[in-house]
Amino acid sequence: NIRIEKVVVAQLDNSQLFTVPDGWKEPAFTKEDNPKGLLEESSFATLFPKYREAYLKECWPLVQKALGDSHIKATLDLIEGSITVCTTKKTFDPYAVVRARDFIKLLARSVPFEQAVRILEDDMACDITKIGTLVRTRERFVKRRQRLIGPKGSTLKALELLTNCYIMVQGNTVSALGPFNGLKEVRKVVLDTMKNIHPIYNIKTLMIKRELSKDPELRLQSWEKFLPNFRHKNLTKRKEPKKKTTKKEYTPFPPQQPESQIDKELATGEFFLRESVKKRKKMEEIKVKQAEALTKRQEERNRAFIPPKEKPVMKKTNKAPSEAKIDIEAIKAKVRKAKTKKLGAPSVNPVPQTTPAYDKKKKNKG
């Protein structure tokens, strides 16, 4: 039978293997599938924070009712701060206790009861991503977590619409509830955001994928040519140090020992000279150094008495004005005008003589 099945699968077309028929749904697991029930009891427990205690007490009757349909027993311990779920003799679905475990985990991570109860359905799954240890500094972690939520939760809402998942960001974890394909995309976006990749890039890619999936011809083709390729640009270049130290090549031998004063004297031959000769030579060296220092000091003193070089004075020469061209016609016109006038004759319109104001006052006084 197994061989016949393998042959039948090999003959099937690839398109039939990859695609699920529209409207197909997995049949529900009933008591008829497992009439004898479970052999042993299974249980799971999880802790919840102190601030979640009031909400759990309020909605605990609803939790018990939801788990009672699958014959799962749930206990709330307020002293230890824990929730426990376990199977009973009436439990027939072996996977029901695993769903109950995920249910109490979501309740402990601040997911509301209305959303968390959906995990008990067959086509639902959940994923809790720990993001607290992905970033070193606390300030950077808070900024990136806020980037995932977006202004007024807009980024998170867009991600929920594209993946058909409910997402809850609380503390150091991100809880997601929805179909398997959507959870995979949510985890990728969350991890990329913590790696300093903005979620808008992944949202844009998801939008393109959503449009491409609607076309039945493109389902079996590669979508790489349609998807955007975002490259990480590092704009801030690392500053290079001013003094670059170059590492020396490693040698197993130790460095050569520096020469002592006696070795230097032996090399020059001074070691074998008499003490009086050594002293005389030392004094000569000191006198030479003193003479050099004296000449230098004298040169520095004499610099103050050296006059600075004066700039040569340049005599300003006024250029002779360029000879204007003589207008002969204008001179002739002046001469003609002068001939027409009689020298010494009174003017045609004589100007009346006006006496100043102060002279009139004098006359009046007189």
Side-chain angles (χ1 to χ4, degrees), residues 291-302:
E292 287 176 359
L294 192 67
T295 51
K296 276 185 183 179
R297 210 177 298 126
Q298 198 68 33
E299 284 174 4
E300 286 177 1
R301 285 176 184 172
N302 293 337

Side-chain angles (χ1 to χ4, degrees), residues 186-351:
V186 169
R187 177 172 272 271
K188 184 181 179 296
V189 173
V190 170
L191 294 176
D192 284 352
T193 307
M194 289 295 122
K195 289 175 185 175
N196 203 18
I197 298 169
H198 204 280
I200 196 68
Y201 299 128
N202 286 311
I203 287 169
K204 193 174 182 181
T205 307
L206 288 171
M207 288 171 72
I208 295 165
K209 282 182 179 179
R210 192 178 186 180
E211 293 299 319
L212 290 170
S213 63
K214 291 177 183 178
D215 193 350
E217 293 179 2
L218 296 170
R219 278 186 181 179
L220 303 174
Q221 295 180 14
S222 178
W223 292 350
E224 288 182 4
K225 58 184 177 181
F226 301 109
L227 298 176
N229 187 18
F230 300 107
R231 292 181 182 177
H232 185 70
K233 292 180 181 179
N234 190 9
L235 298 175
T236 55
K237 292 182 179 179
R238 189 188 170 200
K239 291 181 181 179
E240 294 183 355
K242 289 181 180 178
K243 294 180 181 178
K244 291 183 179 179
T245 55
T246 54
K247 287 186 178 181
K248 295 178 182 179
E249 292 182 5
Y250 173 74
T251 54
F253 307 104
Q256 193 175 1
Q257 212 169 5
E259 290 185 349
S260 63
Q261 190 66 26
I262 296 167
D263 293 335
K264 289 176 184 177
E265 287 178 0
L266 284 168
T268 54
E270 291 179 15
F271 184 77
F272 304 103
L273 296 174
R274 292 178 186 175
E275 287 293 327
S276 57
V277 178
K278 283 182 184 179
K279 281 183 181 178
R280 198 188 311 145
K281 202 173 183 181
K282 221 176 227 182
M283 288 300 293
E284 285 174 2
E285 287 176 0
I286 291 165
K287 282 180 181 179
V288 169
K289 285 180 182 178
Q290 284 177 350
E292 287 176 359
L294 192 67
T295 51
K296 276 185 183 179
R297 210 177 298 126
Q298 198 68 33
E299 284 174 4
E300 286 177 1
R301 285 176 184 172
N302 293 337
R303 271 180 204 167
F305 300 104
I306 298 168
K309 290 182 180 180
E310 294 181 0
K311 293 180 181 179
V313 180
M314 298 292 288
K315 290 182 179 180
K316 292 182 181 180
T317 55
N318 294 327
K319 291 181 180 179
S322 58
E323 293 179 1
K325 291 180 180 180
I326 300 165
D327 195 356
I328 298 165
E329 295 295 328
I331 294 166
K332 284 180 180 181
K334 283 180 181 180
V335 170
R336 284 194 206 106
K337 199 173 184 180
K339 281 181 180 180
T340 54
K341 290 181 180 181
K342 291 179 181 181
L343 296 169
S347 58
V348 179
N349 298 321
V351 180

Side-chain angles (χ1 to χ4, degrees), residues 25-26 43 60-61 63 87 131 146 165 167 249 262 295 311:
K25 194 175 182 182
E26 191 176 350
S43 63
W60 190 247
V63 173
T87 57
I131 57 173
Q146 187 58 36
C165 293
I167 305 165
E249 292 182 5
I262 296 167
T295 51
K311 293 180 181 179

Side-chain angles (χ1 to χ4, degrees), residues 141-159:
F141 166 72
V142 171
K143 281 182 182 178
R144 290 181 187 177
R145 185 179 63 182
Q146 187 58 36
R147 194 184 297 167
L148 179 64
I149 297 165
K152 297 180 181 178
S154 58
T155 309
L156 208 62
K157 190 67 180 173
L159 201 59

Side-chain angles (χ1 to χ4, degrees), residues 6 27 44 76 82 85 122 135 150 174 218 225 233 253 263 298 327 364:
K6 284 183 179 178
F44 293 99
L76 176 66
S82 66
V85 288
D122 287 339
V135 185
V174 178
L218 296 170
K225 58 184 177 181
K233 292 180 181 179
F253 307 104
D263 293 335
Q298 198 68 33
D327 195 356
N364 293 333

